[in-house]
Amino acid sequence: MELVYDYPLYRPPSESQSLIFQVTLGCSFNKCSFCNMYRTKEYSERSSDEIDREIDLMASYFPDTKRIFLADGDALNLETTKLIHILSKIRKEFKNLERISSYSMPKNLLEKSYDELESLKKAGLDMVYLGIESGNNTVLKKVTKGATSKMIVDSCKKAKDTGFILSCMIILGLGGKNYSKVHAEDTSKVINEIEPDYIGALTLYMEPDIEQEFYTKFKEPFIPLDDLGVLDELNNLINGITVTGNVIFRANHASNVYSIGGTLPKNKTDILQKIGYLKEHPELLKPKMLRRF
Ligand code: SF4
């Protein structure tokens, strides 16, 4: 038995084994110039009745489900009461559940009060995935992210204070050659302020259908980083991360030049050494044809 999904359907790589309920369709913002995930969809919210029926159905087929991911792009945009209803229903029907998670934009978290977020946590939401993309305000503006670094830091702190497990994404090469240094420096600073539980680094890879829009919105010639430039940027980023708690860092996405990861600060030296080694051995990097976003 399968759910009938409204495609395209996205979920973080770490949710590959999760059961997915689409509680919203598309992205309520849908304007980031580097992202074409939901360009074919208009944002909408599914009715509680429909979602309830799907939860009942799936609970009868997969009662032992351990993880559930709420799609699409920003399920946290839902009214808090509606989201609490969905979370409570899921918790009631799936007795062996370990985790419920969803994507969130900075604005979703900022628009909710601490009380609302705590109610969502209590109702069963455990984890949120949030795209930082860059900590540099110029880069954020040029890629029309719709958030400043302060908004990103404030929203992530709110998520952490509430007790959510926080997984953040950043994009290597997002500012191109001209902004590589400040992109790395400011992204490290933001990570240091937030100390998320997980950081996932992707590498900029644009689908042809959004390339022109990205360049136009960038408002100056965009000089893409080559592979060594990406490794330099990653080196600067890791070098600038001075977190004190355990932050699990992964650059193992399909878009990356090589799969690198570890726990910061413990494995910082190892990661930097690996980057240095790869710079000397570019023949080890993943062939371009195997990379995608
Ligand atoms: S990156 Fe996230 S917020 Fe931006 S358009 Fe894509 S799904 Fe929406």
Side-chain angles (χ1 to χ4, degrees), residues 76 104-114 117 128-132 140 145-168 190 193-196:
L76 241 71
S104 171
M105 278 193 279
K107 84 173 175 73
N108 303 144
L109 288 159
L110 293 175
E111 281 169 4
K112 297 208 187 292
S113 67
Y114 270 104
L117 292 177
V128 290
Y129 294 86
L130 183 142
I132 292 177
L140 288 168
K145 175 65 189 168
T148 61
S149 62
K150 182 174 183 332
M151 287 168 72
I152 290 169
V153 169
D154 289 350
S155 59
C156 288
K157 281 188 172 172
K158 223 168 160 183
K160 284 217 72 178
D161 289 347
T162 306
F164 292 129
I165 302 166
L166 179 65
S167 180
C168 292
V190 162
E193 277 197 71
I194 302 168
E195 299 222 356

Side-chain angles (χ1 to χ4, degrees), residues 45-206:
E45 298 178 354
R46 297 190 58 233
S47 77
S48 292
D49 284 353
E50 252 181 328
I51 299 166
D52 283 356
R53 274 200 298 276
E54 286 184 356
I55 294 170
D56 284 334
L57 187 67
M58 288 299 108
S60 68
Y61 283 99
F62 305 110
D64 294 328
T65 296
K66 297 277 184 282
R67 290 184 176 190
I68 286 179
F69 180 73
L70 303 179
D72 276 341
D74 57 333
L76 241 71
N77 194 53
L78 282 181
E79 283 286 322
T80 303
T81 46
K82 185 169 178 179
L83 204 40
I84 287 175
H85 169 84
I86 295 167
L87 292 163
S88 308
K89 171 87 181 154
I90 289 173
R91 288 284 170 186
K92 182 166 164 265
E93 303 303 335
F94 293 90
K95 304 286 185 215
N96 297 313
L97 206 57
E98 289 170 359
R99 185 171 100 184
I100 306 178
S101 59
S102 83
Y103 283 131
S104 171
M105 278 193 279
K107 84 173 175 73
N108 303 144
L109 288 159
L110 293 175
E111 281 169 4
K112 297 208 187 292
S113 67
Y114 270 104
D115 283 352
E116 286 178 290
L117 292 177
E118 270 156 27
S119 307
L120 291 171
K121 175 88 180 65
K122 223 166 136 192
L125 183 66
D126 302 295
M127 177 167 185
V128 290
Y129 294 86
L130 183 142
I132 292 177
E133 332 299 7
S134 176
N136 179 266
N137 278 329
T138 307
V139 174
L140 288 168
K141 197 169 176 193
K142 283 182 171 292
V143 301
T144 56
K145 175 65 189 168
T148 61
S149 62
K150 182 174 183 332
M151 287 168 72
I152 290 169
V153 169
D154 289 350
S155 59
C156 288
K157 281 188 172 172
K158 223 168 160 183
K160 284 217 72 178
D161 289 347
T162 306
F164 292 129
I165 302 166
L166 179 65
S167 180
C168 292
M169 285 78 77
I170 59 146
I171 304 180
L172 299 169
L174 190 61
K177 206 168 176 182
N178 291 351
Y179 295 91
S180 181
K181 203 160 170 286
V182 287
H183 171 50
E185 273 172 15
D186 291 343
T187 306
S188 304
K189 281 183 199 157
V190 162
I191 290 169
N192 292 340
E193 277 197 71
I194 302 168
E195 299 222 356
D197 300 283
Y198 298 90
I199 307 166
L202 289 69
T203 302
L204 182 68
Y205 175 91
M206 269 181 296

Side-chain angles (χ1 to χ4, degrees), residues 27-32 34-35 37-38 73 105 133 145:
C27 162
S28 69
F29 181 62
N30 219 10
K31 292 191 190 80
C32 300
F34 54 88
C35 167
M37 294 205 302
Y38 303 110
M105 278 193 279
E133 332 299 7
K145 175 65 189 168

Side-chain angles (χ1 to χ4, degrees), residues 3 5 9-12 15-23 54 58 65 67-72:
L3 280 187
Y5 288 115
L9 177 69
Y10 295 95
R11 45 106 188 118
E15 300 290 337
S16 62
Q17 301 304 312
S18 305
L19 178 60
I20 302 177
F21 290 113
Q22 278 178 304
V23 298
E54 286 184 356
M58 288 299 108
T65 296
R67 290 184 176 190
I68 286 179
F69 180 73
L70 303 179
D72 276 341

